[in-house]
Amino acid sequence: MVLVSVFLEILRKPTIGDVLKELMIFIAPLWIAVIVGVLVGWAWKPKWANIGREMMIDCSVSKDSTPASSDSSSTSFNLISSLNSIKFLLPSCISWITDDEAQSDPFSLPPTVDSNCSSSQIPKGKTSFVTNEDLEHFVNLVEEKDGGPAWIHMMDCSTPTMFYQAWQRDLEAGPTEYRSRTVFEDTTPEMVRDFFWDDEFRPKWDNMLVSAATMEECPTTGTMVVHWVRKFPFFCSDREYVFGRRIWESGRAYYCVTKGVPYASVPRKNKPRRVDLYYSSWLIRAVESRRGDGQLTACEVLLFHHEDMGIPWKIAKVGVRQGMWGTVKKIDPGLRAYQKERTSGNTLSHCAFMAQINSKISADYLRSFESKSNDSSELETHNSSEKPSGKNIPKLLVVGGAIALACSFDRGLLTKAVIFGVARRFANIGKRL
């Protein structure tokens, strides 16, 4: 009753301005109490609150996950527009879903980058984590012959020393894939290759990297198994990545493949959350400068990236669009600082040294991938052209039978229309089978 009387007293104010002012004063403490309650409840949430949600998350991390409203998601993503993921596109996102409970394990890495950048060597005879099949898949992505849907253009941005373009596409299943093209002026492919491989220098330009350590490496092929932990905003727990990476060299073009791999030596923990589906590969090669002088003094990087961080993919797409350019434009100053450090004669880090161990391949070998892709696409086209002919025969039989049946009845136009309608339905059903 007290609240009702206070509310009636407010409504008796002489002007609308006084009424609104009193209402704001009256409602503000209530909203503050609600917000404080939500924050306290979030911070002190008991573990049993996640029991029912674990199964829901496993089912919701799919294309059919229910996204939040566009207004609230856009507002929230503005808070993390500077969130950078890996390489050029680091999909920014917000998860209103807390992390699922995983097996707790005492294994942990120090919150610093491993300066030794090496743990053990990959035993001889053991299957490589990144193989030539991965290279073939990457080459088909570069040549746009992987059989996937068309790329949709997102943006064109530039600075005096960098030009950037980005595309995206959605698959029938899986997270959104991103493709970008970046041209850095006044640098070499070798410098850019070492720059992105150097986990010891990365924290100087990538402030999202908490720790990095090399689990295994191969001194022959340069293959590495790397463990990363990346920090996220306070409302989203950190993420960890275990991925294999390897570089193939063809002339002065470098095919750098990075993908998530299973690795039992790094057990799952409750936090940080493991990102299993992860792919980030890029082609680095020399190109002509955009200044138009005809000199190969610029470096082009073609990146293909996708990952599933355990949040609805539609929400992740909004985050990428909001924060992509703000993240990418910070890479160029990091590259220039790396160039200065290398030219000053500083000791080469171990990870940068591993980046120089490449598997040599010829242009003919790369073209063999393209010919395989062309053969498979021709086979698919041939098969698809044959399918309708087989399905049209029963359709013609159904329609022809309907015509004969309609002509044999003298029941007016309505009877004939019904017969033709039923026949068309059966023909369409047969076509879908």
Side-chain angles (χ1 to χ4, degrees):
M1 294 298 294
V2 176
L3 291 177
V4 174
S5 62
V6 172
F7 184 71
L8 292 175
E9 185 67 24
I10 293 174
L11 294 179
R12 293 192 186 101
K13 295 293 180 180
T15 63
I16 296 178
D18 291 338
V19 172
L20 294 177
K21 180 180 179 181
E22 293 294 332
L23 284 176
M24 292 296 295
I25 297 175
F26 178 73
I27 295 175
L30 298 179
W31 277 110
I32 293 174
V34 170
I35 294 173
V36 171
V38 170
L39 292 177
V40 171
W42 192 355
W44 291 351
K45 183 183 65 177
K47 289 187 177 180
W48 54 262
N50 290 329
I51 293 177
R53 182 200 46 75
E54 293 176 5
M55 297 175 61
M56 181 178 67
I57 287 182
D58 292 337
C59 298
S60 65
V61 180
S62 66
K63 203 167 170 182
D64 298 328
S65 299
T66 303
S69 65
S70 59
D71 292 339
S72 60
S73 62
S74 300
T75 303
S76 302
F77 277 115
N78 289 333
L79 298 176
I80 57 168
S81 60
S82 61
L83 175 63
N84 55 334
S85 186
I86 187 147
K87 314 312 187 279
F88 298 109
L89 288 180
L90 317 170
S92 306
C93 64
I94 288 180
S95 174
W96 294 318
I97 304 172
T98 54
D99 301 315
D100 54 343
E101 299 292 333
Q103 297 179 353
S104 179
D105 192 271
F107 174 86
S108 62
L109 289 173
T112 56
V113 176
D114 184 3
S115 59
N116 294 329
C117 201
S118 177
S119 175
S120 61
Q121 292 187 1
I122 298 176
K124 292 183 177 180
K126 183 177 180 179
T127 303
S128 178
F129 292 95
V130 187
T131 66
N132 287 341
E133 293 181 356
D134 298 308
L135 172 63
E136 180 177 358
H137 173 66
F138 180 45
V139 171
N140 289 331
L141 284 174
V142 171
E143 301 297 332
E144 299 188 37
K145 296 180 179 179
D146 62 311
W151 294 96
I152 301 173
H153 183 262
M154 293 178 63
M155 65 178 66
D156 288 344
C157 300
S158 63
T159 67
T161 56
M162 183 183 73
F163 176 73
Y164 180 77
Q165 296 175 295
W167 298 263
Q168 69 178 16
R169 67 180 183 180
D170 293 321
L171 305 181
E172 293 183 359
T176 301
E177 294 185 349
Y178 297 93
R179 170 177 173 250
S180 68
R181 176 179 180 266
T182 310
V183 177
F184 296 100
E185 297 287 348
D186 303 319
T187 189
T188 64
E190 292 75 20
M191 184 66 69
V192 175
R193 174 201 63 190
D194 296 351
F195 170 68
F196 285 111
W197 226 246
D198 197 334
D199 291 341
E200 186 175 337
F201 184 84
R202 177 176 283 269
K204 297 181 181 180
W205 61 273
D206 182 2
N207 57 8
M208 305 300 292
L209 185 63
V210 176
S211 65
T214 301
M215 301 291 101
E216 294 187 27
E217 63 183 28
C218 177
T220 303
T221 63
T223 303
M224 303 172 69
V225 178
V226 179
H227 178 271
W228 274 11
V229 175
R230 297 182 65 80
K231 64 181 178 181
F232 280 67
F234 70 92
F235 41 75
C236 191
S237 69
D238 295 347
R239 297 296 194 262
E240 73 167 352
Y241 302 78
V242 180
F243 54 85
R245 61 187 187 187
R246 181 179 176 184
I247 301 176
W248 285 265
E249 177 187 353
S250 178
R252 291 190 65 196
Y254 299 94
Y255 295 80
C256 309
V257 177
T258 302
K259 68 172 188 175
V261 296
Y263 196 72
S265 299
V266 183
R268 295 178 181 275
K269 300 180 296 179
N270 181 26
K271 292 183 180 181
R273 179 174 178 169
R274 177 73 58 84
V275 176
D276 293 311
L277 179 56
Y278 173 79
Y279 184 86
S280 189
S281 300
W282 59 104
L283 169 61
I284 304 173
R285 58 191 175 189
V287 294
E288 290 187 11
S289 171
R290 290 177 57 83
R291 301 188 186 101
D293 54 9
Q295 301 297 317
L296 298 177
T297 56
C299 178
E300 178 188 61
V301 180
L302 298 179
L303 169 75
F304 296 83
H305 180 98
H306 67 267
E307 61 179 285
D308 185 358
M309 293 181 289
I311 65 169
W313 299 325
K314 292 182 180 179
I315 295 180
K317 285 177 63 175
V318 178
V320 170
R321 182 171 292 277
Q322 292 289 332
M324 180 181 293
W325 174 239
T327 295
V328 171
K329 66 182 180 181
K330 297 178 182 178
I331 298 176
D332 189 54
L335 174 61
R336 306 308 168 183
Y338 188 72
Q339 285 180 296
K340 292 181 180 179
E341 185 169 301
R342 287 285 296 270
T343 55
S344 63
N346 291 344
T347 303
L348 191 68
S349 70
H350 183 75
C351 289
F353 171 77
M354 290 297 297
Q356 299 180 6
I357 303 177
N358 311 144
S359 300
K360 303 296 191 296
I361 54 176
S362 64
D364 292 336
Y365 184 70
L366 293 175
R367 281 192 289 270
S368 67
F369 294 152
E370 298 180 19
S371 62
K372 289 181 182 178
S373 176
N374 292 334
D375 293 341
S376 62
S377 61
E378 289 177 1
L379 180 61
E380 291 178 359
T381 304
H382 180 67
N383 291 337
S384 62
S385 63
E386 289 180 348
K387 290 179 181 178
S389 61
K391 294 178 180 178
N392 284 336
I393 294 176
K395 182 175 181 179
L396 291 175
L397 292 177
V398 172
V399 175
I403 294 173
L405 184 62
C407 293
S408 64
F409 283 96
D410 188 14
R411 303 292 184 182
L413 294 176
L414 181 61
T415 303
K416 294 180 174 58
V418 171
I419 294 175
F420 280 120
V422 173
R424 182 181 298 177
R425 284 291 181 89
F426 276 103
N428 290 334
I429 293 174
K431 185 178 181 181
R432 290 194 295 267
L433 295 177

